[in-house]
Amino acid sequence: MTLETLENTGAEVATRPEDEKLGLAANLAYGLQHILTMYGGIVAVPLIVGQAAGLSPGDIGLLITASLFAGGVATLLQTLGLPFFGCQLPLVQGVSFAGVATMIAIAGNGGIQAILGSVMAASFLGLLIAPVFSRITRFFPPLVAGIVITTIGLTLMPVAGSWAMGGNRSAPDFGSPANILLAGMTLAIVLLLSKVGNAAISRLSILLALVFGTVIAYATGMTDFSQVGSGPTFALPGIFHFGLPTFGIAATLSMFIVILVTMVETSADIFAVGEIVETKVDSHRLGDGLRADMLSSMLAPVVGSFTQSAFAQNVGLVAVTGVKSRYVVATGGLILVALGLLPVMGRVVAAIPSPVLGGAGIVLFGTVTASGIRTLARVDYAGNMNLIIVATAIGFGTIPIVLPGFYDQFPAWVQTIFHSGISSSALMAIVLNVLFNHLRAGTPTEPSVFGAASERTLRYADIAQLEDGDYFLDGKLFDAAGNEVPLVAAGQH
């Protein structure tokens, strides 16, 4: 029996697209694909923070294991849900990148215990204010959602590029032709498999490309599985392994800014995946998603992990595969829990070379951008200021992408908020949408040159060629005597 047959026989009629049940085989395959897509990102934060906090390699390994376990539990809570917790959408949860800089700064003053304490306290504050964020759905029309989705894709492209070059900037082979060629071969495999007529193979193109790319890397000596057998096979996450958390006002306030940014990004991801899945996301559902995020973040330090949020790259995977079932992602959550309990499985996944991830990431992250452009195509640009809102918000969001050090001379709280292109564009889009589309006072009745530029226009040189009495009929141009005037394409004479 094929995977496609399993999908068809296992599928059940669902009232919502995300409630479709595909069967065990499909859930495992697509769920594993989700985890392979985000694995590099979820282990990067504990690696960076652990080194900054001066932890030993063994303790850094425990941080990674804890992050995998906490991400799996958070994913299950978000996808399956409990009363008042979980948006029940296909969102993979994991350690948020937004707080890396802040956690490094906190580590310099209070160590890992201060980081864990600030995460717990700030997440509790976030849980209290979640109902406020859940009432902003009317400020997230397709205009704002499209801007944020587009910027999410643009923000992730440098990650794909770095992976394609080798991942480790300090490595001697970073950016080598061999790494980039391996990434290109993986990209080519994704595209070829996507062209295959079999629906199951096409949907699994990312996973299969990762497998084939890793096989190629192993055959050419570009990856090493020798470390898979080292270390314990099974290990439970320790409770407060790094000691009891410490709580400081300054550290908590700094981390609370990170929590606000995380809530903005999570809101954007929830709306983005809602657009892709084509399901309704209201204030109640958004509030449940935010509460799940905050509860997960508040409990994660118990096992030695940090703030949890949705992974944007997996939003792209939902778009590129068309697999909308939340049970697929919930299965991915179980795989994450297993990786957290079975370090040997994590070591197997960790052996996938960064260039292979980079080749697949180009398609994944580019699909996010394309989904945002598709959403923006549905926006009405006639007689309003929507075009300038799109231009300004996307431009503002791309500044930290192309110039990561743009805000280095600003206060830490400014860096925390605007260093992320996603939160920058989201905040700008929300503010400008309110300013131009909700607060009508002062808005001109005639749009500015930016708004006018969105309308269909004709050049004066074209109009000058018309003669008195010329008219159009059924798409053809006729002169006053009724003779057809030939029309030629641009560049022809």
Side-chain angles (χ1 to χ4, degrees):
M1 183 178 290
T2 65
L3 177 58
E4 187 174 7
T5 304
L6 285 172
E7 284 186 36
N8 295 333
T9 57
E12 297 181 6
V13 177
T15 56
R16 303 181 304 181
E18 64 272 25
D19 292 333
E20 183 182 12
K21 296 180 180 179
L22 302 179
L24 179 61
N27 284 345
L28 285 172
Y30 295 136
L32 178 60
Q33 185 170 244
H34 270 287
I35 301 313
L36 291 174
T37 300
M38 55 85 71
Y39 185 85
I42 199 172
V43 302
V45 175
L47 274 172
I48 297 170
V49 174
Q51 291 172 356
L55 299 182
S56 67
D59 280 342
I60 292 176
L62 291 176
L63 274 184
I64 294 174
T65 301
S67 294
L68 293 170
F69 181 82
V73 174
T75 299
L76 290 171
L77 178 61
Q78 191 71 273
T79 54
L80 301 180
L82 292 173
F84 306 108
F85 295 94
C87 65
Q88 297 186 354
L89 285 169
L91 284 170
V92 179
Q93 302 288 113
V95 180
S96 172
F97 276 92
V100 170
T102 300
M103 287 190 287
I104 291 175
I106 295 173
N109 296 320
I112 190 67
Q113 294 92 345
I115 294 176
L116 299 177
S118 66
V119 170
M120 294 184 74
S123 300
F124 175 72
L125 295 177
L127 184 62
L128 294 180
I129 67 169
V132 176
F133 271 76
S134 68
R135 288 175 172 79
I136 63 173
T137 53
R138 69 189 186 98
F139 298 116
F140 275 88
L143 170 69
V144 174
I147 290 170
V148 174
I149 298 170
T150 302
T151 309
I152 288 173
L154 295 175
T155 300
L156 292 170
M157 286 310 298
V159 176
S162 178
W163 283 346
M165 297 175 73
N168 183 5
R169 294 181 178 272
S170 61
D173 65 342
F174 183 76
S176 67
N179 283 341
I180 296 176
L181 180 60
L182 178 58
M185 293 176 68
T186 305
L187 172 61
I189 294 172
V190 173
L191 298 178
L192 288 174
L193 293 178
S194 299
K195 184 70 173 175
V196 174
N198 186 283
I201 293 178
S202 180
R203 285 182 169 185
L204 286 170
S205 59
I206 299 295
L207 174 60
L208 295 175
L210 291 175
V211 173
F212 292 148
T214 303
V215 170
I216 294 172
Y218 181 76
T220 56
M222 296 181 65
T223 189
D224 183 14
F225 286 91
S226 62
Q227 298 300 314
V228 170
S230 63
T233 301
F234 177 86
L236 289 171
I239 305 300
F240 293 125
H241 169 80
F242 302 101
L244 293 176
T246 59
F247 302 94
I249 295 177
T252 299
L253 290 178
S254 297
M255 189 56 65
F256 183 62
I257 296 175
V258 173
I259 289 296
L260 293 176
V261 173
T262 300
M263 295 179 78
V264 171
E265 292 185 350
T266 297
S267 299
D269 286 332
I270 289 175
F271 281 109
V273 80
E275 284 280 330
I276 293 170
V277 173
E278 298 178 338
T279 191
K280 181 181 179 182
V281 176
D282 54 17
S283 60
H284 173 75
R285 200 168 195 182
L286 176 61
D288 289 349
L290 292 174
R291 278 189 288 270
D293 240 22
M294 293 300 100
L295 181 62
S296 300
S297 298
M298 189 172 66
L299 296 179
V302 174
V303 295
S305 189
F306 313 114
T307 53
Q308 305 290 309
S309 68
F311 266 58
Q313 52 261 53
N314 293 89
V315 175
L317 186 59
V318 173
V320 75
T321 62
V323 179
K324 304 174 180 180
S325 173
R326 61 191 174 101
Y327 299 109
V328 164
V329 175
T331 304
L334 290 175
I335 294 173
L336 273 180
V337 171
L339 289 173
L341 298 175
L342 300 172
V344 64
M345 294 180 63
R347 293 192 293 270
V348 171
V349 178
I352 298 176
S354 293
V356 174
L357 295 173
I362 292 173
V363 179
L364 287 175
F365 305 157
T367 303
V368 179
T369 305
S371 298
I373 294 173
R374 182 176 60 185
T375 301
L376 290 174
R378 302 202 304 265
V379 175
D380 180 19
Y381 297 96
N384 54 46
M385 300 295 288
N386 285 341
L387 185 66
I388 193 173
I389 295 174
V390 173
T392 305
I394 291 181
F396 193 67
T398 55
I399 289 177
I401 301 173
V402 299
L403 292 171
F406 188 83
Y407 296 106
D408 283 356
Q409 302 302 317
F410 285 74
W413 67 269
V414 175
Q415 296 181 44
T416 301
I417 295 175
F418 294 108
H419 183 70
S420 166
I422 300 172
S423 58
S424 296
S425 65
L427 291 173
M428 181 63 74
I430 293 170
V431 170
L432 292 182
N433 179 55
V434 172
L435 179 64
F436 289 117
N437 292 330
H438 291 272
L439 302 178
R440 305 300 299 178
T443 302
T445 56
E446 294 294 331
S448 71
V449 65
F450 300 100
S454 66
E455 301 291 334
R456 177 174 175 266
T457 59
L458 290 174
R459 297 177 299 174
Y460 283 111
D462 297 327
I463 299 175
Q465 297 298 318
L466 298 177
E467 298 179 359
D468 188 33
D470 288 348
Y471 63 96
F472 279 92
L473 180 65
D474 296 330
K476 298 179 179 179
L477 176 64
F478 297 89
D479 60 20
N483 299 314
E484 183 179 353
V485 179
L487 301 176
V488 297
Q492 297 181 1
H493 300 283

